[in-house]
Amino acid sequence: MLNRFTDDYLGALSVPGFAPAPKVSGRLASFDGLLMEAIGLSLPVGTVCQVGAKGAGVEAEVIGFRNGRTLLMNLGGPAALVPQMPVRPLGAAGEAEVGAALLGRVLDGAGKPIDGLGPIRGAGRWPLAGKIQSPLDRGRVLKPLDVGVRAINGLLTVGQGQRIGIMAGSGVGKSVLLGMIVRAAKADVVVIGLIGERSREVADFLETKVAGEARGRSVVVAVPANHSPVLRIRGALRATAIAEAFRAEGKQVLLIMDSLTRVAHAGREIGLALGEPASARGYPPSAIAMLPNLIERAGTDVHSGGSITAIYTVLADGDDGNDPVVDSARSILDGHIVLSRALAERGVYPAIDIGPSVSRVMTDITPKPHQKAARTLRRHLATYEENRDLVLMGAYRGGADPAIDTAIACHPAIMEYVKQDPDEIIPLEDAVMELTGVFGDG
């Protein structure tokens, strides 16, 4: 009887192929406020670990190795860490939750919802680092995208699948311009990454710029400036991964990243903590090299027919157009919109400086009359700016140069064309019609 019980009952409870595995654990050896070092642990880069007891410790991510020790960076807030605390792996965090279940939700850098609407259910998975594509898998930019801003629609026309940067110093109106674009853009899905900005701006952006109908087709990934640099980079990767998954479904996606400079700042913090040599403006090589990997993930997919139109804000430190991040982004992007502090001080909003701004795909997506009118406006504006000091000083006498006379006469119309109220939406057709109607004969 006992043999039968042992063979039948206990045999049914056993798990075939079960092999006990020990729990991997290390110890915290050092911590300097940013970088942790653990001993007795061998884990791949990107693994998320629990430092200390669950609920009392913090989560940290493996970012490198040095002298037989594993280097980690804090993903959470402050905690009472002490030497020899246990460090246990929680698993690789190399995937992001994606799909329609995220629409209307607000996430943090770790993918956890912070909008109080409960857990996310029914989401798919997508690699945080993206899926490598062949250059031939990328389609050309052939269709314009209506962004509702007259100066951009008419003079810097954006195409579906284009990557464009909004470059300016602090306080010149980058976030306001982004809000105008988000409200008016003709896209199936809008993915917004608020990376490294002020916490106050997150709530403000949601209440004023992603309100109403736009909220239902938007996904927001918010990682304010006081969060870990690893979490800020992870937030940028997560927003891009969410956009890639929607593109794979054939949707037209608008990806907003505010800001690309804060992502580079996070990379700089990590690189310097790892001992990388600082080069231009204190940026280690890895911080600048990270930008192409992020930007190149946007674009058009020839297989699904979907596209990611990406708009990145780039903060020019000290209004310096040759800042390393600005210079690097300018060389990778398909166009850039420069905001001028001088125009903002004159009350011109959005303060788009038409001269140095350019859309590299405009000639592929606009008809010839539109291009001719845009060139005429640019020519009159350039002539006026070159001779502005002479005109203001009274040193120029009318009739001396017909080109200058025409530029002076057209300047008020140019400024009125660039100006736009933040709550106003100007469709692409209206912007082109107004442009060709005034400057089409030039």
Side-chain angles (χ1 to χ4, degrees):
M1 185 69 181
L2 182 60
N3 290 338
R4 183 179 177 185
F5 173 81
T6 304
D7 295 339
D8 297 346
Y9 182 71
L10 295 182
L13 292 178
S14 65
V15 180
F18 172 77
K23 280 190 175 181
V24 178
S25 178
R27 292 287 173 179
L28 184 64
S30 71
F31 176 52
D32 60 4
L34 185 66
L35 200 65
M36 304 178 189
E37 294 188 9
I39 56 175
L41 206 59
S42 179
L43 299 170
V45 171
T47 305
V48 176
C49 298
Q50 176 72 34
V51 182
K54 196 163 188 178
V58 295
E59 290 185 1
E61 181 179 329
V62 177
I63 61 172
F65 313 98
R66 181 189 296 148
N67 299 327
R69 295 187 173 191
T70 301
L71 307 180
L72 306 98
M73 190 162 282
N74 190 356
L75 290 179
L81 301 180
V82 296
Q84 301 303 312
M85 258 191 169
V87 180
R88 297 184 178 89
L90 297 178
E95 290 187 323
E97 290 186 319
V98 297
L102 273 66
L103 293 175
R105 303 303 300 269
V106 184
L107 315 175
D108 63 8
K112 299 173 184 175
I114 56 175
D115 51 12
L117 299 179
I120 297 170
R121 304 186 187 281
R125 312 292 292 183
W126 193 271
L128 269 179
K131 297 179 180 179
I132 297 177
Q133 286 185 303
S134 162
L136 298 181
D137 292 335
R138 296 296 177 87
R140 294 180 61 202
V141 179
L142 298 174
K143 294 182 180 179
L145 177 70
D146 187 355
V147 296
V149 181
R150 180 168 46 214
I152 298 177
N153 280 341
L155 304 172
L156 303 162
T157 311
V158 176
Q160 292 181 5
Q162 183 178 1
R163 294 87 49 86
I164 197 161
I166 299 177
M167 302 176 175
S170 56
V172 186
K174 295 187 299 297
S175 297
V176 175
L177 181 57
L178 280 184
M180 297 170 67
I181 294 173
V182 168
R183 281 192 298 269
K186 305 298 183 183
D188 298 328
V189 178
V190 180
V191 181
I192 304 167
L194 302 176
I195 311 299
E197 296 298 318
R198 295 177 288 274
S199 298
R200 177 193 62 80
E201 281 195 345
V202 176
D204 179 73
F205 203 97
L206 293 174
E207 294 296 329
T208 62
K209 301 174 179 65
V210 199
E213 182 270 335
R215 184 71 178 269
R217 59 188 176 99
S218 302
V219 182
V220 180
V221 180
V223 191
N226 61 334
H227 285 220
S228 161
V230 175
L231 216 52
R232 277 177 264 154
I233 293 177
R234 192 172 284 261
L237 297 175
R238 187 172 301 278
T240 307
I242 293 171
E244 284 179 320
F246 281 116
R247 179 181 63 185
E249 297 175 6
K251 296 185 182 297
Q252 308 304 319
V253 184
L254 176 64
L255 172 63
I256 302 286
M257 189 77 71
D258 186 16
S259 75
L260 193 66
T261 305
R262 305 299 186 193
V263 178
H265 286 179
R268 178 171 62 184
E269 291 181 45
I270 295 174
L272 294 178
L274 287 172
E276 281 191 62
S279 53
R281 297 289 180 88
Y283 287 97
S286 63
I288 302 299
M290 176 178 56
L291 301 182
N293 295 333
L294 190 65
I295 294 172
E296 279 295 317
R297 292 168 63 179
T300 303
D301 188 343
V302 296
H303 299 295
S304 69
S307 68
I308 299 176
T309 306
I311 301 179
Y312 303 93
T313 63
V314 185
L315 176 65
D317 290 331
D319 290 344
D320 183 8
N322 295 319
D323 179 84
V325 178
V326 176
D327 198 42
S328 177
R330 188 190 295 118
S331 65
I332 305 164
L333 295 167
D334 302 321
H336 52 273
I337 299 169
V338 179
L339 302 186
S340 166
R341 191 176 299 276
L343 286 176
E345 291 170 351
R346 292 182 217 160
V348 178
Y349 287 100
I352 299 175
D353 194 350
I354 302 299
S357 302
V358 65
S359 173
R360 297 182 182 177
V361 303
M362 184 174 173
T363 55
D364 297 328
I365 59 177
T366 55
K368 296 296 183 183
H370 180 181
Q371 297 173 29
K372 182 180 178 183
R375 285 196 298 266
T376 300
L377 184 149
R378 283 176 172 272
R379 184 174 68 248
H380 291 330
L381 181 59
T383 302
Y384 180 85
E385 292 296 335
E386 287 173 1
N387 300 276
R388 183 171 182 270
D389 292 340
L390 291 176
V391 174
L392 294 179
M393 289 188 301
Y396 175 74
R397 182 176 299 176
D401 188 329
I404 298 178
D405 293 338
T406 305
I408 294 172
C410 291
H411 192 258
I414 294 174
M415 288 296 100
E416 284 302 314
Y417 189 82
V418 174
K419 287 181 182 178
Q420 184 174 329
D421 188 83
D423 298 324
E424 190 179 8
I425 296 176
I426 308 295
L428 177 63
E429 296 80 7
D430 294 352
V432 175
M433 189 181 302
E434 187 175 343
L435 177 67
T436 54
V438 178
F439 299 96
D441 298 329

